[in-house]
Amino acid sequence: MKITEHIANAKDTLFSFEILPPLKGQRIEDIYNVIDPLMEFKPPFINVTYHREEVIYKRLPNGLLEQKTVRKRPGTVGICAALQYRYKVDTVPHMLCGGFSKEDTENALIDLDFLGIDNVLALRGDSMKNEQFFAPEADGNRYAKDLVQQIKNMNEGRFLDEELQNAGKTNFAVGVAGYPEKHYEAPSLNNDIEHLKQKVDAGADYIVTQLFFDNQKYFDFVDRCRKAGIKVPIIPGIKPISTKKHLSFLPHFFKVDLPDDLVKSVVGCSSNEEVRQVGIEWGIQQAKELKAAGAPAIHFYSMGRPDNIVSIAREVF
Ligand code: FAD
């Protein structure tokens, strides 16, 4: 079932979360151990992130460095299919422009279609660690909006090979990313929202936001999107802070600000156990306020640790 249908049928804010595929070599049971405690809150859908290849350098016995390309977290599609089968829940694989030719994308979408997966979160992806700026494959999609367009073309039975006659139509609902605090490459929030509008005009059915800690940023973002003519549901994404390291990691990695009150509380903690508690309390307040404001769903960034999300969900859902 499509995310948009889940939202349309819901009487209240939906509970949802995203998981990362396990590191290569770990077992799928590790993922089930993360998910099992969260199923109590009946998520209608679960997102599974996609991790493209990385360039790493390995020192050889002769002292020279060997450059290798590896994928540390493969398995997005397999996990989606396994979760649908095991939990009877819809899954949303994340799909990137980066590292994919349009032909690769088309073939991956055919696999998803055959597996009965009805939703995709269409993303550009970041630059590789050894590149300063994002570079698409020579014959790949440049921006997320181009990927949205390709998926929507397939929904209309239009494949890359124009001579393909009577091609079956796929039927994906497509989500895209939105950034209440602006995407780090965008020169301004307004400019970023113009690009978000292009994704919606290309056919995106809903938006999931980057994580944020100050709900006012989400409310302002939704207002700006509505004024820009974006009418699709905008699902807020939140993540409970759980270690002191997050104070520097989260702004660095996700390009988001933390409110002073939260920073002060975390700085005042004497252990990460106390930080977790602060993060849970903050998450409960955030989620309650978002729910009261009528958010269509709340998307929790689990990062492989379910316990703090369970504590929040118990109070809110
Ligand atoms: P786009 O929408 O293509 O935008 C990228 C930048 O280009 C923005 O600054 C935008 O303003 C600008 N832009 C867009 N169109 C144009 C245009 N026509 N001209 C000029 N500029 C333009 N990454 C992963 O690798 N794997 C994941 O699983 C993953 N999941 C995510 C889930 C969510 C909910 C979010 C919010 C992000 C996720 N990301 C993931 C990160 C994402 O890939 C990065 O943030 C990436 O840098 C941007 O992706 P996008 O889809 O927002 O790109």
Side-chain angles (χ1 to χ4, degrees), residues 89-102:
V89 67
D90 280 301
T91 51
V92 188
H94 293 192
M95 191 164 209
L96 304 184
C97 301
F100 283 74
S101 67
K102 288 185 187 164

Side-chain angles (χ1 to χ4, degrees), residues 18 48-52 94-96 121-127 142-145 176-179 183-187 191-192 195 198-199 208-211 299 301:
E18 94 173 21
V48 183
T49 56
Y50 187 92
H51 301 260
R52 65 178 295 192
H94 293 192
M95 191 164 209
L96 304 184
L121 191 73
L123 301 147
R124 186 197 71 179
D126 287 313
S127 57
R142 174 80 186 81
Y143 292 110
K145 78 164 189 306
V176 290
Y179 302 83
H183 182 259
Y184 61 93
E185 289 170 23
N191 178 270
D192 203 24
H195 293 141
Q198 290 174 2
K199 294 196 266 195
V208 185
T209 75
Q210 181 59 282
L211 55 88
H299 173 102
Y301 289 85

Side-chain angles (χ1 to χ4, degrees), residues 19-24 26 28 31 48-52 71-83 93-94 112 115 117:
I19 54 155
L20 281 61
L23 285 166
K24 192 180 270 185
Q26 290 180 349
I28 195 160
I31 287 293
V48 183
T49 56
Y50 187 92
H51 301 260
R52 65 178 295 192
R71 277 193 68 203
K72 292 185 180 165
R73 292 182 186 272
T76 301
V77 175
I79 290 172
C80 284
L83 298 189
H94 293 192
L112 298 180
L115 286 167
I117 291 170

